[in-house]
Amino acid sequence: MSAVMKIATPPEDLYAQLEALPENLTGEIINGWLYTQARPTGRHGLAGSALTMDIGSAYHRGRGGPGGWWILDEPELHFIRDTEVLVPDLAGWRRERMPRLPNDHRFNVVPDWVCEIVSPSTARKDRFTKMPVYARYGVSYLWLVDPVARTLEAFALREERWTVIGLFQDEAIVSVEPFADIGLELGALWEPAAD
Protein backbone atom coordinates (compact mmCIF):
# COMPACT_ATOMS: atom_id res chain seq x y z
CA MET A 1 0.00 0.00 0.00
CA SER A 2 1.20 3.47 -0.90
CA ALA A 3 0.47 6.79 0.78
CA VAL A 4 1.23 10.41 -0.09
CA MET A 5 1.40 13.46 2.17
CA LYS A 6 1.76 17.15 1.38
CA ILE A 7 2.84 19.05 4.42
CA ALA A 8 3.32 22.82 4.48
CA THR A 9 6.83 22.72 5.87
CA PRO A 10 10.25 23.72 4.60
CA PRO A 11 11.94 20.97 2.54
CA GLU A 12 14.40 20.16 5.31
CA ASP A 13 11.47 19.40 7.64
CA LEU A 14 9.99 17.10 5.00
CA TYR A 15 13.30 15.23 4.81
CA ALA A 16 13.35 14.96 8.61
CA GLN A 17 9.92 13.33 8.37
CA LEU A 18 11.26 10.93 5.74
CA GLU A 19 14.16 9.97 8.01
CA ALA A 20 11.76 9.42 10.93
CA LEU A 21 9.63 6.86 9.06
CA PRO A 22 9.43 3.40 10.63
CA GLU A 23 11.83 0.79 9.18
CA ASN A 24 8.98 -1.04 7.41
CA LEU A 25 8.30 2.01 5.20
CA THR A 26 10.28 3.47 2.31
CA GLY A 27 9.94 7.22 1.79
CA GLU A 28 10.51 9.46 -1.20
CA ILE A 29 10.14 13.20 -1.72
CA ILE A 30 8.89 13.90 -5.23
CA ASN A 31 7.81 17.34 -6.42
CA GLY A 32 7.36 18.52 -2.83
CA TRP A 33 5.28 15.52 -1.71
CA LEU A 34 6.32 12.81 0.74
CA TYR A 35 5.41 9.37 -0.58
CA THR A 36 5.56 6.28 1.60
CA GLN A 37 5.15 2.62 0.83
CA ALA A 38 5.42 -0.64 2.69
CA ARG A 39 8.18 -3.16 2.10
CA PRO A 40 7.74 -5.16 -1.11
CA THR A 41 5.81 -8.38 -1.67
CA GLY A 42 7.44 -11.73 -2.35
CA ARG A 43 6.92 -11.42 -6.13
CA HIS A 44 8.52 -7.99 -6.08
CA GLY A 45 11.45 -9.27 -4.03
CA LEU A 46 11.97 -12.25 -6.35
CA ALA A 47 12.13 -10.04 -9.45
CA GLY A 48 14.53 -7.59 -7.79
CA SER A 49 16.79 -10.31 -6.42
CA ALA A 50 16.99 -12.15 -9.75
CA LEU A 51 17.85 -8.92 -11.60
CA THR A 52 20.50 -8.05 -9.01
CA MET A 53 22.07 -11.49 -9.33
CA ASP A 54 22.11 -11.57 -13.15
CA ILE A 55 22.98 -7.95 -13.92
CA GLY A 56 25.14 -7.54 -10.82
CA SER A 57 27.22 -10.61 -11.59
CA ALA A 58 27.97 -9.53 -15.18
CA TYR A 59 28.19 -5.76 -14.76
CA HIS A 60 29.00 -5.09 -11.10
CA ARG A 61 31.37 -8.01 -10.55
CA GLY A 62 32.45 -8.66 -14.17
CA ARG A 63 31.55 -12.38 -14.09
CA GLY A 64 30.30 -13.36 -17.54
CA GLY A 65 30.07 -9.71 -18.57
CA PRO A 66 32.08 -6.54 -18.98
CA GLY A 67 32.00 -5.23 -15.39
CA GLY A 68 32.57 -1.53 -14.80
CA TRP A 69 29.27 -0.74 -13.05
CA TRP A 70 27.87 -0.28 -9.57
CA ILE A 71 24.49 -2.10 -9.32
CA LEU A 72 22.64 -1.36 -6.07
CA ASP A 73 19.30 -2.14 -4.46
CA GLU A 74 17.14 0.77 -3.29
CA PRO A 75 19.69 3.59 -3.26
CA GLU A 76 18.46 6.94 -1.98
CA LEU A 77 18.92 9.28 -4.98
CA HIS A 78 19.23 12.95 -4.09
CA PHE A 79 18.64 14.85 -7.32
CA ILE A 80 18.37 17.91 -5.08
CA ARG A 81 19.86 17.21 -1.67
CA ASP A 82 17.13 16.36 0.86
CA THR A 83 14.50 17.96 -1.42
CA GLU A 84 14.03 15.72 -4.50
CA VAL A 85 14.66 12.20 -3.18
CA LEU A 86 13.74 9.06 -5.10
CA VAL A 87 14.39 5.42 -4.20
CA PRO A 88 14.28 3.15 -7.25
CA ASP A 89 14.20 -0.59 -6.72
CA LEU A 90 17.55 -0.91 -8.52
CA ALA A 91 20.01 1.56 -9.96
CA GLY A 92 23.28 1.37 -11.83
CA TRP A 93 26.19 3.74 -12.42
CA ARG A 94 29.11 3.35 -14.79
CA ARG A 95 32.16 3.47 -12.56
CA GLU A 96 33.88 6.05 -14.74
CA ARG A 97 31.01 8.42 -13.82
CA MET A 98 30.95 7.46 -10.13
CA PRO A 99 34.34 5.97 -9.21
CA ARG A 100 33.49 5.73 -5.50
CA LEU A 101 30.35 5.11 -3.51
CA PRO A 102 29.19 7.97 -1.28
CA ASN A 103 30.25 7.94 2.35
CA ASP A 104 26.65 8.18 3.55
CA HIS A 105 23.28 7.01 2.21
CA ARG A 106 22.77 9.95 -0.18
CA PHE A 107 23.60 9.31 -3.84
CA ASN A 108 24.13 12.67 -5.57
CA VAL A 109 25.41 11.34 -8.93
CA VAL A 110 22.56 10.72 -11.38
CA PRO A 111 22.44 7.00 -12.19
CA ASP A 112 22.87 5.70 -15.74
CA TRP A 113 20.03 3.20 -15.24
CA VAL A 114 17.10 2.74 -12.89
CA CYS A 115 14.64 -0.09 -12.56
CA GLU A 116 11.24 0.14 -10.94
CA ILE A 117 9.44 -3.08 -10.09
CA VAL A 118 5.81 -2.06 -10.39
CA SER A 119 2.94 -3.35 -8.31
CA PRO A 120 -0.76 -2.51 -8.35
CA SER A 121 -0.15 0.04 -5.55
CA THR A 122 2.91 1.72 -7.13
CA ALA A 123 2.33 1.51 -10.91
CA ARG A 124 0.76 4.96 -11.28
CA LYS A 125 3.47 6.65 -9.18
CA ASP A 126 6.25 4.80 -11.02
CA ARG A 127 4.88 5.74 -14.46
CA PHE A 128 3.36 9.18 -14.03
CA THR A 129 5.29 10.69 -11.13
CA LYS A 130 8.74 9.13 -11.08
CA MET A 131 9.41 8.60 -14.81
CA PRO A 132 9.22 12.36 -15.59
CA VAL A 133 11.59 13.12 -12.69
CA TYR A 134 14.11 10.57 -13.93
CA ALA A 135 13.92 12.18 -17.39
CA ARG A 136 14.25 15.70 -15.99
CA TYR A 137 17.51 14.82 -14.24
CA GLY A 138 18.98 12.87 -17.16
CA VAL A 139 18.84 9.18 -16.21
CA SER A 140 19.80 7.46 -19.48
CA TYR A 141 17.86 4.18 -19.15
CA LEU A 142 14.76 3.09 -17.27
CA TRP A 143 13.20 -0.33 -16.94
CA LEU A 144 9.74 -1.10 -15.60
CA VAL A 145 9.35 -4.71 -14.46
CA ASP A 146 5.88 -6.04 -13.65
CA PRO A 147 6.02 -9.42 -11.89
CA VAL A 148 2.22 -9.83 -12.00
CA ALA A 149 1.90 -9.17 -15.77
CA ARG A 150 5.34 -10.82 -16.28
CA THR A 151 6.66 -7.97 -18.43
CA LEU A 152 9.77 -5.85 -18.87
CA GLU A 153 9.47 -2.43 -20.53
CA ALA A 154 12.79 -0.79 -21.40
CA PHE A 155 13.19 2.92 -22.16
CA ALA A 156 16.08 5.13 -23.26
CA LEU A 157 16.18 8.90 -22.78
CA ARG A 158 16.32 10.53 -26.21
CA GLU A 159 16.06 14.32 -26.53
CA GLU A 160 14.74 14.57 -22.95
CA ARG A 161 11.90 12.06 -23.65
CA TRP A 162 11.50 8.40 -22.90
CA THR A 163 11.65 6.19 -25.99
CA VAL A 164 10.61 2.53 -25.82
CA ILE A 165 13.58 0.33 -26.73
CA GLY A 166 12.03 -3.00 -25.81
CA LEU A 167 8.83 -4.65 -24.66
CA PHE A 168 9.27 -8.21 -23.40
CA GLN A 169 7.15 -10.76 -21.60
CA ASP A 170 6.89 -14.18 -20.02
CA GLU A 171 9.89 -16.48 -20.54
CA ALA A 172 11.79 -14.45 -23.15
CA ILE A 173 15.58 -14.24 -23.07
CA VAL A 174 16.41 -10.60 -23.77
CA SER A 175 19.44 -8.46 -24.49
CA VAL A 176 18.58 -4.81 -23.97
CA GLU A 177 20.49 -1.62 -23.24
CA PRO A 178 22.29 -0.76 -21.16
CA PHE A 179 22.96 -4.44 -20.45
CA ALA A 180 22.88 -5.84 -23.98
CA ASP A 181 26.05 -7.92 -23.45
CA ILE A 182 24.09 -10.56 -21.55
CA GLY A 183 20.99 -12.61 -22.22
CA LEU A 184 18.58 -11.96 -19.35
CA GLU A 185 16.19 -14.84 -18.70
CA LEU A 186 12.88 -13.23 -17.79
CA GLY A 187 11.49 -16.53 -16.52
CA ALA A 188 13.87 -16.27 -13.55
CA LEU A 189 12.13 -13.06 -12.47
CA TRP A 190 8.68 -14.60 -12.07
CA GLU A 191 7.09 -16.95 -9.63
CA PRO A 192 6.52 -20.26 -11.47
CA ALA A 193 2.97 -20.63 -12.81
CA ALA A 194 0.76 -22.96 -10.78
CA ASP A 195 -0.05 -26.25 -12.50
Side-chain angles (χ1 to χ4, degrees):
M1 172 150 256
S2 206
V4 62
M5 298 178 273
K6 178 70 167 186
I7 302 166
T9 59
E12 59 274 6
D13 291 345
L14 201 54
Y15 190 73
Q17 291 175 19
L18 182 148
E19 289 188 308
L21 291 172
E23 285 186 23
N24 66 324
L25 294 178
T26 298
E28 300 175 290
I29 302 170
I30 308 170
N31 301 321
W33 292 79
L34 175 60
Y35 289 80
T36 63
Q37 65 190 44
R39 301 300 306 154
T41 65
R43 285 181 174 177
H44 184 287
L46 174 64
S49 294
L51 283 168
T52 299
M53 285 186 277
D54 290 347
I55 294 170
S57 181
Y59 286 84
H60 183 96
R61 300 191 69 190
R63 293 183 176 172
W69 284 70
W70 297 110
I71 305 294
L72 299 171
D73 295 328
E74 297 187 353
E76 190 173 289
L77 306 178
H78 285 249
F79 294 114
I80 301 173
R81 186 177 177 90
D82 298 349
T83 301
E84 193 78 66
V85 181
L86 280 69
V87 181
D89 293 299
L90 298 166
W93 292 261
R94 289 181 170 89
R95 290 190 190 194
E96 68 259 14
R97 290 192 55 252
M98 187 174 76
R100 289 185 169 67
L101 295 175
N103 290 329
D104 69 1
H105 62 282
R106 293 173 177 94
F107 286 77
N108 298 311
V109 176
V110 174
D112 295 289
W113 167 78
V114 294
C115 177
E116 294 290 355
I117 301 170
V118 302
S119 68
S121 65
T122 66
R124 289 181 59 83
K125 178 182 71 166
D126 291 335
R127 288 184 184 282
F128 301 109
T129 305
K130 294 177 82 171
M131 280 183 74
V133 174
Y134 290 137
R136 181 168 60 238
Y137 291 102
V139 174
S140 299
Y141 296 95
L142 168 79
W143 290 6
L144 296 178
V145 172
D146 187 334
V148 175
R150 300 166 59 107
T151 59
L152 164 63
E153 300 170 72
F155 302 87
L157 193 62
R158 305 275 199 280
E159 298 178 9
E160 301 178 8
R161 295 185 184 273
W162 291 117
T163 299
V164 175
I165 58 172
L167 300 171
F168 310 100
Q169 63 184 0
D170 298 327
E171 308 298 319
I173 297 174
V174 304
S175 294
V176 62
E177 292 296 332
F179 306 117
D181 294 325
I182 62 170
L184 183 65
E185 297 178 35
L186 292 188
L189 308 182
W190 325 130
E191 182 178 28
D195 294 330

